Each structure stands twice: as C-alpha cells, then as structure tokens.
Amino acid sequence: MEHIVNVAMDVDTLKQLDNLRRAHPNVPSRVEVIRRLIWEAHAKIAAQTQSMAG
C-alpha cells in the first residue's frame, strides 16, 4: 500500500533532487530517488546497529 506524503523543499534542494535523478537515468522519478535514499540510509543504520551489537 502506498501513502501520499507532502514534503516541502526549497528550490536548491529540489534542484539537487533533480540532479540526482538525471545522474542516474535508470531512476525514473523524484519519488524513486527519495525512496532509494531512504532505503539506503535505513540499511546503513541497520548495519551500524548490528556491528555495535555484535
């Protein structure tokens, strides 16, 4: 299930988001860029937590 979330961004941040999307042509949309960044950040945090616990 998908939810719609409104996120306010200033012009510079929005430009950076578009630059990321253009730099990776296989990423079709701003939504996908944000989704991948969130999942990458989550994986990084999870890995750090596991290394501290183990």
Side-chain angles (χ1 to χ4, degrees):
M1 176 183 348
E2 294 202 13
H3 300 275
I4 295 175
V5 178
N6 291 315
V7 178
M9 289 188 193
D10 59 55
V11 172
D12 291 332
T13 304
L14 194 57
K15 286 180 183 177
Q16 290 295 327
L17 182 59
D18 285 339
N19 289 341
L20 282 169
R21 188 172 52 84
R22 281 191 292 274
H24 300 281
N26 58 339
V27 179
S29 66
R30 291 174 175 166
V31 170
E32 188 62 28
V33 171
I34 294 169
R35 184 178 291 148
R36 289 181 187 199
L37 289 170
I38 290 170
W39 282 101
E40 287 173 13
H42 181 269
K44 183 178 178 181
I45 291 167
Q48 289 174 348
T49 302
Q50 286 180 348
S51 68
M52 283 191 253

